């Protein structure tokens, strides 16, 4: 068993995570489940969502009865186990975010502070949108502010990945012009440079707000 702050991750849940990671290698899509807990603070898995190659929805409504929604686990079919900015921007709304990747590892990031209740979540979101930032949610506001530019950078890199896929598809089975090869090389260089900066930014910010535990 593993402790994630005050919550307990059992060997059974770890095995479920490993099984999802094994299956995602075959299916090439994100797989996962919702993480919930009763008053005993033992983590339970709920739901069985299937996503796309780079997106999945974790549904809080999958928790049963009086279970508390904690967050979710999902796999990365095209990247390693480190969480993305999109994974960590649910600051204080998700207490625990677990991710598995092509490096054959699973990591869980646990929010260091108090998780927002459903009522507080909506008050915080409404206040954030209206420009009123209640000091009660300051840690969440600070976290979102830190992760928003990283999230935008992540979306830009995904657009570069899409462009690279288009270029590589156009190169398949035909004589490739030097200009196409140069274009591909240029886009890849820009993509790699932005990715390196992004990953360093995510690491620095995640350490500020989350405790990370390597599960596998």
């Amino acid at each position: 068993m593993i402790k994630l702050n005050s919550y307990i991750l059992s060997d059974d849940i770890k095995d479920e995570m490993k099984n999802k990671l094994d299956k995602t290698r075959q299916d090439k899509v994100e797989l996962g489940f919702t993480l919930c807990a009763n008053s005993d603070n033992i983590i339970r898995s709920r739901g069985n969502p299937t996503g796309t190659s780079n997106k999945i929805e974790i549904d809080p409504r999958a928790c049963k009865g009086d279970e508390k929604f904690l967050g979710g686990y999902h796999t990365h079919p095209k990247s390693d186990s480190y969480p993305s900015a999109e994974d960590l921007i649910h600051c204080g709304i998700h207490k625990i975010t677990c991710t598995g990747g092509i490096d054959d590892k699973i990591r869980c990031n646990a929010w260091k502070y108090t998780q927002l209740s459903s009522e507080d979540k909506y008050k915080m979101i409404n206040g954030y949108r209206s420009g009123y930032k209640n000091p009660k949610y300051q840690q969440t506001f600070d976290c979102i502010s830190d992760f928003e530019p990283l999230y935008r950078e992540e979306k830009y890199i995904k657009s570069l990945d899409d462009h690279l896929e288009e270029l590589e598809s156009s190169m398949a089975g035909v004589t490739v012009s030097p200009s196409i090869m140069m274009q591909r090389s240029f886009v890849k260089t820009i993509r790699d440079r932005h990715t390196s900066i992004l990953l360093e930014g995510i690491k620095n910010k995640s350490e500020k707000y989350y405790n990370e535990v390597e599960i596998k």
Side-chain angles (χ1 to χ4, degrees):
M1 293 190 298
I2 292 176
K3 290 290 291 290
L4 298 174
N5 290 359
S6 60
Y7 294 95
I8 299 170
L9 186 73
S10 68
D11 291 339
D12 288 343
I13 301 299
K14 285 167 55 181
D15 288 342
E16 284 190 53
M17 290 177 170
K18 293 175 185 177
N19 289 338
K20 292 289 186 185
L21 186 53
D22 289 340
K23 195 169 187 302
T24 207
R25 293 191 190 95
Q26 304 169 23
D27 298 349
K28 308 301 183 186
V29 295
E30 294 196 9
L31 303 171
F33 45 75
T34 302
L35 300 176
C36 311
N38 279 326
S39 57
D40 57 10
N41 280 10
I42 296 177
I43 297 172
R44 292 165 172 81
S45 64
R46 302 296 185 212
N48 187 35
T50 297
T52 66
S53 62
N54 57 18
K55 185 78 173 178
I56 193 170
E57 295 294 333
I58 298 298
D59 189 355
R61 295 171 298 180
C63 295
K64 298 180 179 179
D66 295 331
E67 289 178 345
K68 180 180 181 180
F69 168 71
L70 298 179
Y73 165 71
H74 69 275
T75 57
H76 292 160
K78 298 196 294 185
S79 59
D80 62 27
S81 57
Y82 286 98
S84 65
E86 185 176 6
D87 293 334
L88 296 179
I89 203 169
H90 304 285
C91 312
I93 297 172
H94 291 194
K95 181 70 174 178
I96 298 172
T97 296
C98 299
T99 47
I102 58 175
D103 54 355
D104 200 35
K105 293 181 180 180
I106 296 170
R107 303 174 190 276
C108 288
N109 283 264
W111 176 248
K112 290 182 177 182
Y113 309 103
T114 302
Q115 184 181 9
L116 301 182
S117 65
S118 296
E119 182 181 358
D120 281 335
K121 179 182 74 173
Y122 291 115
K123 287 181 179 179
M124 183 277 296
I125 291 172
N126 290 334
Y128 191 79
R129 288 172 176 169
S130 66
Y132 170 65
K133 297 186 177 182
N134 189 325
K136 179 180 179 180
Y137 313 122
Q138 190 61 52
Q139 287 149 344
T140 294
F141 291 138
D142 290 345
C143 178
I144 292 174
S145 295
D146 280 342
F147 275 102
E148 272 189 336
L150 297 173
Y151 174 58
R152 290 195 297 270
E153 179 74 357
E154 206 165 66
K155 291 182 71 175
Y156 172 64
I157 291 171
K158 287 181 179 178
S159 72
L160 293 177
D161 285 339
D162 291 341
H163 188 29
L164 279 173
E165 286 187 11
E166 290 175 2
L167 289 172
E168 288 168 359
S169 177
S170 69
M171 292 165 61
V174 298
T175 302
V176 182
S177 68
S179 63
I180 293 292
M181 294 183 68
M182 288 179 61
Q183 186 178 355
R184 178 187 178 278
S185 178
F186 175 74
V187 173
K188 190 175 186 305
T189 299
I190 296 297
R191 189 259 184 208
D192 290 346
R193 184 181 303 149
H194 278 266
T195 299
S196 177
I197 295 171
L198 172 67
L199 293 178
E200 187 63 28
I202 292 174
K203 180 181 178 182
N204 290 338
K205 297 306 180 184
S206 66
E207 290 174 352
K208 183 177 178 181
Y209 299 104
Y210 294 91
N211 292 316
E212 183 185 288
V213 176
E214 186 175 318
I215 304 301
K216 177 191 176 190

